[in-house]
Amino acid sequence: MKYISTRGNHEKTDAAEVIRTGMVPVGGLFVPEAYPEFSEREIKAMAAKTYQEIAVLVMEKFLTDYSRDELERATALAYSEENFPADEPVPLAKLGDHTFLLELWHGPTAAFKDMALQLMPHLLTGAIKKIDLDREIVILVATSGDTGKAALEGFKDIPGIKIIVFYPAQGVSNIQERQMITTGGANTYVVAVNGNFDDCQTAVKSVFADRDFNMLLNQKSYQFSSANSINWGRLLPQIIYYFAAYTNLLRNEEIEYGEKVNIVVPTGNFGNILAAYYAYKMGLPVNKFICASNENKVLADFFNTGIYDIKREFKRTISPSMDILISSNFERLLFDMSGCDGRKIKKWYEEDLKEKGSFELDSETYKRIKELFTGDYALEDELYQEISDIYADYNYLLDPHTAVGVNVYRKYYEKTADNTRTIIASTASPYKFPEAVLKAIDKNADKYDEYEMIRRINQITGLEIHRALKDLEKKEIRHMNRCEAGQIREEIMALLKI
Ligand SMILES: *Cc1c(COP(=O)(O)O)cnc(C)c1O
């Protein structure tokens, strides 16, 4: 299997190189040149397989330069019982008679990013071996929250790789900061950057783009790399759980073989929902994809108009991991839906979006997308209400991101009365966002600090506290680095001792 660029500006490339580089150097994203399909018989047979076995079946179709043995070892390490102690890595919770929540947050950091970031580091070490790179990889991450901790846990103690995470000193919650600075491992580094997320991200981007600095690092036997959500090595692992969910429904006789399902995904960068679409291309029977946005509703507006318009005010919401105006992975869907027309993508992204802050699809591409996708959004007040209602009706506690999905699905159902069995991606444990969750179920929430809120939610609901959030304030602080955005190169050199 070879990979091509969404903007038609790169030669065909092997998976190992695609995973090592992350994105096409001159702009554009790598996509596989084809999507191998599973036969009916193969999908049926998955119902009797473990999560790890399904993972290998999906990955070997795309990672043809990896051996089966490598993939088996990688999935065994990533989806071990230690990392995912629940009965299965991604349990399904039933809500009402036709709705199922796919709980993607049983990994080490309580958010769905673990599903990919526990596996991707093993794919990257495999890639380094294949390319015969004799330098140590240094992963640089700028994070506003969830990704940093999930990347730290994924890359912790992986041989041949160091990871440095930069977060805005004024831009993450106490709990998020505490999660990161208590990370163990001999190859992990965490740095608070004075400023907001933009300052932090701009600083890290400038390091990637700095040729002299990269050359200096190369001379010292280091090579920068990233763990962005646009890396194919992060998307691929996300295809797996949609097959696992479907076969779980088959096994439990909630659906019959071949029956179509709806898939609802609370969306930011469009990675998680794109992975569901790729599963569909591989043969998963899907009726509709429902793309759920918070008040940063660029995508919801797109699905309703065919116009992608980022000229608008950025809003801070209680689902911060979806506070995104530019959904990087969306380009991959447009590429596919436009008949793999790199020239169109280039025009939309490199001319229209750059010059006008928006682009409009041709009617044919838009029509093709509308046949399969719908999009809507949830307001902040609706989310508190949704969390409170679902708790009252089903004794089930939603985190605010998942609540976006549930609320948008509610609106879809009210409009269409579509009774198709529906899988909603549940992207975080409610304990990861205790303030919003407690406010939704307890009038006196304001009295407590964040750590007390976690205990209070536990008192009220009896729901076990996710291990990632338990006794956080008692854990040893292991990282106390801090720097100015302009000093980031010096900080990297000091940490790498060069
Ligand atoms: C990252 C994240 C999302 C958004 O996922 P995308 O792949 O960027 O669409 C949703 N919910 C949570 C909890 C997240 O961490």
Side-chain angles (χ1 to χ4, degrees):
M1 172 72 68
K2 297 278 185 184
Y3 293 77
I4 54 177
S5 165
T6 49
R7 299 190 194 172
N9 53 5
H10 199 270
E11 69 210 37
K12 293 188 178 182
T13 307
D14 286 327
E17 182 62 16
V18 162
I19 289 171
R20 191 190 65 80
T21 43
M23 67 180 284
V24 179
V26 287
L29 303 175
F30 285 114
V31 285
E33 61 179 349
Y35 297 86
E37 269 188 61
F38 289 113
S39 68
E40 288 195 8
R41 203 169 41 85
E42 284 174 311
I43 294 183
K44 227 181 219 164
M46 282 182 194
K49 294 193 188 300
T50 64
Y51 192 84
Q52 288 91 334
E53 286 167 339
I54 298 174
V56 172
L57 290 176
V58 171
M59 290 200 301
E60 70 182 0
K61 300 251 190 218
F62 292 104
L63 304 182
T64 46
D65 44 344
Y66 288 65
S67 69
R68 180 170 258 255
D69 188 50
E70 268 180 296
L71 297 180
E72 280 175 356
R73 256 181 300 141
T75 50
L77 288 168
Y79 305 119
S80 64
E81 244 181 76
E82 194 196 340
N83 284 338
F84 293 88
D87 288 345
E88 34 195 334
V90 287
L92 270 179
K94 191 168 180 176
L95 217 62
D97 37 329
H98 54 83
T99 314
F100 301 85
L101 288 170
L102 181 62
E103 295 181 348
L104 300 171
W105 41 261
H106 291 278
T109 78
F112 95 94
K113 304 229 170 17
D114 289 329
M115 299 308 302
L117 279 165
Q118 283 299 314
L119 183 60
M120 189 222 169
H122 302 294
L123 301 181
L124 184 60
T125 42
I128 298 166
K129 274 195 206 121
K130 276 176 236 302
I131 298 164
D132 219 6
L133 190 74
D134 61 354
R135 301 192 194 116
E136 192 165 10
I137 293 272
V138 180
I139 302 278
L140 299 182
V141 180
T143 183
S144 59
D146 292 351
T147 305
K149 178 61 176 174
L152 285 165
E153 284 301 318
F155 283 99
K156 186 172 83 183
D157 292 329
I158 299 279
I161 301 181
K162 286 185 162 66
I163 174 166
I164 312 178
V165 169
F166 298 92
Y167 70 90
Q170 283 87 35
V172 300
S173 74
N174 288 333
I175 287 188
Q176 285 175 322
E177 175 174 58
R178 185 61 72 108
Q179 278 193 299
M180 288 191 275
I181 64 180
T182 55
T183 305
N187 64 340
T188 58
Y189 305 89
V190 181
V191 183
V193 177
N194 283 329
N196 61 25
F197 177 60
D198 270 345
D199 303 326
C200 180
Q201 188 169 41
T202 307
V204 171
K205 276 193 178 157
S206 80
V207 170
F208 279 120
D210 182 340
R211 281 191 52 185
D212 291 345
F213 191 57
N214 275 268
M215 253 154 60
L216 172 72
L217 266 284
N218 291 169
Q219 282 161 13
K220 306 284 178 187
S221 290
Y222 288 112
Q223 167 95 43
F224 288 133
S225 190
S226 78
N228 283 341
S229 76
I230 50 173
N231 191 311
W232 177 246
R234 275 189 62 182
L235 268 180
L236 177 57
Q238 300 184 55
I239 300 175
I240 302 161
Y241 45 74
Y242 292 106
F243 280 102
Y246 188 83
T247 51
N248 183 327
L249 291 177
L250 276 180
R251 201 162 52 236
N252 291 312
E253 298 179 1
E254 296 284 1
I255 53 172
E256 284 172 28
Y257 178 73
E259 190 173 330
K260 289 182 176 178
V261 295
N262 292 330
I263 295 182
V264 184
V265 186
T267 306
N269 248 324
F270 207 78
N272 204 4
I273 189 165
L274 181 75
Y277 172 70
Y278 285 160
Y280 160 81
K281 288 193 61 101
M282 298 178 74
L284 195 76
V286 175
N287 174 48
K288 279 276 178 206
F289 292 99
I290 299 164
C291 178
S293 303
N294 65 20
E295 290 186 6
N296 294 294
K297 59 186 182 63
V298 176
L299 288 169
D301 289 347
F302 167 81
F303 286 113
N304 289 318
T305 61
I307 298 169
Y308 186 80
D309 186 348
I310 59 171
K311 296 186 307 290
R312 58 184 81 203
E313 195 191 335
F314 174 86
K315 296 196 176 154
R316 286 192 167 279
T317 72
I318 55 169
S319 49
S321 303
M322 295 162 57
D323 289 345
I324 286 173
L325 295 181
I326 302 183
S327 302
S328 332
N329 272 303
F330 191 52
E331 179 171 340
R332 285 183 161 116
L333 179 75
L334 295 179
F335 179 70
D336 204 70
M337 290 285 189
S338 68
C340 302
D341 189 341
R343 276 169 317 178
K344 272 188 192 161
I345 302 297
K346 230 177 145 78
K347 176 170 183 305
W348 291 333
Y349 278 86
E350 294 181 11
E351 291 172 30
D352 300 356
L353 197 62
K354 269 207 187 118
E355 287 160 19
K356 297 185 299 189
S358 69
F359 59 77
E360 178 165 13
L361 296 200
D362 57 281
S363 57
E364 207 171 303
T365 305
Y366 180 50
K367 189 165 151 260
R368 218 172 286 149
I369 291 178
K370 284 289 280 185
E371 277 163 18
L372 205 52
F373 282 81
T374 111
D376 205 344
Y377 62 96
L379 300 170
E380 295 290 272
D381 282 347
E382 292 176 316
L383 296 181
Y384 289 111
Q385 192 64 45
E386 197 63 65
I387 294 170
S388 159
D389 286 353
I390 295 289
Y391 181 61
D393 293 348
Y394 300 102
N395 196 26
Y396 188 93
L397 200 58
L398 300 170
D399 97 282
H401 301 76
T402 310
V404 173
V406 172
N407 182 259
V408 164
Y409 176 62
R410 182 188 293 279
K411 290 168 181 160
Y412 170 82
Y413 187 74
E414 279 165 7
K415 246 188 282 179
T416 61
D418 171 7
N419 263 323
T420 307
R421 298 281 173 279
T422 297
I423 296 168
I424 303 176
S426 170
T427 52
S429 155
Y431 282 111
K432 186 130 196 177
F433 300 93
E435 188 176 349
V437 170
L438 188 63
K439 264 194 189 156
I441 60 170
D442 180 357
K443 290 191 300 296
N444 299 319
D446 288 342
K447 286 202 309 217
Y448 307 100
D449 73 25
E450 280 179 279
Y451 300 112
E452 289 165 343
M453 285 177 175
I454 290 177
R455 288 191 289 273
R456 181 79 187 128
I457 293 172
N458 172 258
Q459 268 174 9
I460 296 175
T461 66
L463 180 70
E464 192 186 345
I465 301 177
H466 191 292
R467 64 198 185 285
L469 285 311
K470 211 168 169 173
D471 299 328
L472 204 50
E473 65 269 51
K474 293 185 199 143
K475 286 190 182 151
E476 184 199 350
I477 293 178
R478 299 186 66 252
H479 306 274
M480 281 178 285
N481 309 301
R482 182 181 270 266
C483 77
E484 299 300 324
Q487 241 93 60
I488 188 167
R489 287 168 186 71
E490 289 77 3
E491 185 67 26
I492 292 171
M493 286 168 67
L495 294 174
L496 298 177
K497 302 194 171 61
I498 53 179

